[in-house]
Amino acid sequence: RVTQDLVTKCNSVCKSRYCCFDSYRLESSCRASVGEDECELFALCEQMITADGGVVKTFIELDLQEFNDDDTIDKTTSQEMIEKEVYDACYFDTDESRVTQDLVTKCNSVCKSRYCCFDSYRLESSCRASVGEDECELFALCEQMITADGGVVKTFIELDLQEFNDDDTIDKTTSQEMIEKEVYDACYFDTDETRVTQDLV
């Protein structure tokens, strides 16, 4: 259950109340102003605070923090975990139906710390030399998220057009249909109260 999606969602829910915990060092304590009862509601959030008082950003950090009893990192296991997480978040091969906003969000979340591995990425300088070839290779699938101008794909429409639009022209009708479908899938709940969740919001 320790996935990048869990880390992202947990950080999103907890970010306003990390200040409840003495172990959090990135801002002053808010326990007195927020109140004990409010802080207790966020008790699970403390698992996201790192030993140095920051916040866990990747599922690997959380996994190692929670389940690595002897404080040593098995490099092979760690590399396998990274490779699996990148694959699970970003892989769509030639299946255009797998290109969704959820895939783009998850892939960007997993890849953001290693876009600097690719020469095509122009938003910061290369980190390939400092990170190392082996580490960068684990994130090879992330390169598909880099746009022609060196930025990063933000929407499933951009990714779909980048990967599957052979004639380099944008079919406006298809694009509008894709937007409409994504909005519907993300926001529609009609009279079904069970669909009204924090994930939908």
Side-chain angles (χ1 to χ4, degrees):
R1 288 198 38 107
V2 177
T3 64
Q4 191 61 42
D5 194 40
L6 177 139
V7 170
T8 302
K9 286 178 180 175
C10 191
N11 274 328
S12 177
V13 169
C14 296
K15 66 183 171 190
S16 67
R17 291 297 177 260
Y18 283 134
C19 56
C20 282
F21 307 104
D22 294 335
S23 53
Y24 184 64
R25 295 195 181 99
L26 299 181
E27 62 183 276
S28 307
S29 175
C30 63
R31 189 170 277 275
S33 61
V34 170
E36 291 293 325
D37 291 341
E38 174 84 6
C39 283
E40 284 306 309
L41 296 174
F42 290 86
L44 272 177
C45 296
E46 193 167 19
Q47 70 188 355
M48 301 298 289
I49 299 174
T50 60
D52 65 356
V55 176
V56 167
K57 295 205 176 21
T58 69
F59 79 102
I60 296 165
E61 285 179 272
L62 183 58
D63 189 88
L64 292 172
Q65 179 172 297
E66 295 298 316
F67 301 106
N68 193 19
D69 297 331
D70 62 1
D71 290 335
T72 60
I73 296 172
D74 180 340
K75 189 173 180 179
T76 305
T77 303
S78 179
Q79 287 176 333
E80 288 170 358
M81 287 172 62
I82 292 169
E83 202 164 36
K84 180 182 180 339
E85 188 70 11
V86 171
Y87 180 88
D88 289 349
C90 303
Y91 183 77
F92 57 85
D93 195 32
T94 58
D95 184 357
E96 189 172 3
S97 69
R98 291 195 58 190
V99 178
T100 64
Q101 191 59 44
D102 192 45
L103 178 136
V104 170
T105 302
K106 287 178 181 175
C107 191
N108 274 328
S109 180
V110 169
C111 295
K112 65 184 171 192
S113 67
R114 290 298 176 259
Y115 283 134
C116 57
C117 284
F118 307 103
D119 294 335
S120 54
Y121 185 65
R122 294 191 174 78
L123 299 181
E124 61 184 276
S125 42
S126 176
C127 63
R128 190 170 275 273
S130 60
V131 169
E133 291 292 325
D134 292 342
E135 174 87 2
C136 283
E137 284 307 308
L138 297 174
F139 290 86
L141 272 177
C142 297
E143 192 167 20
Q144 70 194 4
M145 301 299 288
I146 299 173
T147 60
D149 64 357
V152 176
V153 166
K154 302 249 188 313
T155 69
F156 78 102
I157 296 167
E158 285 180 89
L159 183 58
D160 188 88
L161 292 172
Q162 180 172 297
E163 295 296 318
F164 296 102
N165 193 16
D166 297 331
D167 63 2
D168 290 331
T169 60
I170 297 173
D171 180 341
K172 189 173 181 181
T173 305
T174 304
S175 178
Q176 288 172 336
E177 288 169 358
M178 290 169 67
I179 292 169
E180 190 173 39
K181 181 187 180 316
E182 189 69 15
V183 170
Y184 180 86
D185 290 348
C187 301
Y188 181 77
F189 58 87
D190 192 33
T191 59
D192 184 359
E193 189 176 355
T194 63
R195 290 202 47 174
V196 180
T197 64
Q198 185 61 38
D199 201 35
L200 178 130
V201 173

